[in-house]
Amino acid sequence: MVLCTRLLALLPAALAVLHDGSTPVPNVEAPLNDPATMIGIKLTDALTQDDAKCLDGTPGFYYFRAGTGDGADKWYIHQEGGGWCESLDDCLARSKGNLGSSSAYTSTVSMDTGYFSLDPAINPLMYNWNSVFFKYCDGNSFSGSNSSTTIVSGSTLHWRGKHILNGGISDMLAHRGLDKATDVVVSGCSAGGLATFLHCDHWADRIKAEGSASANVVCMPDSGMFLDHEGPPKYHSGMTWAFWQQNSSSGVNDACIATEQPVSNCMFAEHTMKHIRTPTFPLQSEFDSWQTANDLGSTDVGLINQYGANLTRLVHTNLLNQPQHGIFLDSCHHHCGGWGAYHVGNDTQPTAMMKWYEHSAGGERAWIQGLPYPCDSCCH
């Protein structure tokens, strides 16, 4: 897997393979008798019927594990993270690895940590739900809808992420039981967290229209609230290039596209979240470690605190001004994961999420730590 040049310059060498800070799932076969095993589903119908292709032209892909007991009709759906490609050379390099091609995906994986844990002590709400790990191979958070291809150094690149997304939703509805779902949590980490902001309403609308209209669908983006900021790493410029190159105007939130100017604003969570109807509960650091390095591009304590204050302000003005939404906003300098590791008051991410989802917090919907950077004690 290859990082774009600006990330290589800013991330420590040890993190170079992590792209946007989300840890890739080991591409290792799992035994079928392992309770945590997830079965791979190749989206060949979507490829032939809707030209749904990874960057390199291979089909989209997701892993699935059936729920058990009272979780048989409940779903946790996770969209994989892994950064974005922000130039043709970036996208070409990406198409040669697992974040741009499904050619080397294993037929099974084992997932039993964090949001996928089968242990109710770790994952109290979703431990026995149907679980989906939606692989990410399009380079732009499942948003591309460009019918044209681009040839780079003799290789043909495809920009069809939204069509992979739709193909996966269709397959889950038709073949895995999503049409019978009573409860659905749509999530993702990092670039997958951004995908959750971008496609939250789309997931909910399709599930309710083609499945059960009474299904309780919510979204839980993890570390996906990337600010629309143009610091030295040129994050705004890179994401805007990706938006136009992949024709994402027809692949993101429709209400945002109808309202925001320029429409490329809708590639950023801070603008999109103003338009999300579906109840959403982000898991977010006020001082996200990937953003401070690769969006803000600074280690200056004062600038990081200003950046965090701006993110918190936007949470209040663009998200929490809508009563259906909540948030878990901690002050630890981290990015992604840490399910159960961070505390705000007496709650961790999973307990706060469960209280918000089950409306058992006495009306509480925002867990905000609000401490200045750096805060080592906020990470324990």
Side-chain angles (χ1 to χ4, degrees), residues 84 141 190-199 221 224 226 235 239 267-269:
W84 310 268
S141 293
S190 203
L194 177 59
T196 307
F197 280 109
L198 301 182
H199 309 305
F226 300 94
Y235 179 74
M239 294 299 286
M267 199 67 224
F268 300 92

Side-chain angles (χ1 to χ4, degrees), residues 255-266 271-272 274-275:
C256 183
I257 290 293
T259 305
E260 294 288 335
Q261 289 295 328
V263 294
S264 56
N265 281 356
C266 299
H271 305 296
T272 296
K274 292 184 287 187
H275 307 281

Side-chain angles (χ1 to χ4, degrees), residues 158-175:
H158 304 263
W159 319 104
R160 303 291 287 173
K162 185 61 177 288
H163 300 262
I164 293 173
L165 181 73
N166 274 328
I169 296 172
S170 295
D171 189 85
M172 293 173 213
L173 286 165
H175 302 300

Side-chain angles (χ1 to χ4, degrees), residues 295-309:
D295 194 349
L296 175 64
S298 178
T299 59
D300 181 85
V301 170
L303 290 178
I304 290 174
N305 276 291
Q306 289 176 26
Y307 189 90

Side-chain angles (χ1 to χ4, degrees), residues 55-73:
L55 282 170
D56 73 335
T58 51
F61 197 99
Y62 70 89
Y63 291 100
F64 171 74
R65 182 176 66 217
T68 61
D70 63 4
D73 292 324

Side-chain angles (χ1 to χ4, degrees), residues 41 158 162 172 199 214 218 289 339:
I41 309 296
H158 304 263
K162 185 61 177 288
M172 293 173 213
H199 309 305
S214 62
V218 305
S289 57
W339 186 248

Side-chain angles (χ1 to χ4, degrees), residues 8 15 21 46 54 108 138 158 196 201 203 218 255 271 274 277 281-282 334 361:
L8 283 173
L15 296 182
C54 302
T108 59
D138 66 278
H158 304 263
T196 307
D201 284 341
W203 277 100
V218 305
H271 305 296
K274 292 184 287 187
R277 294 176 278 105
F281 190 83
H334 74 97

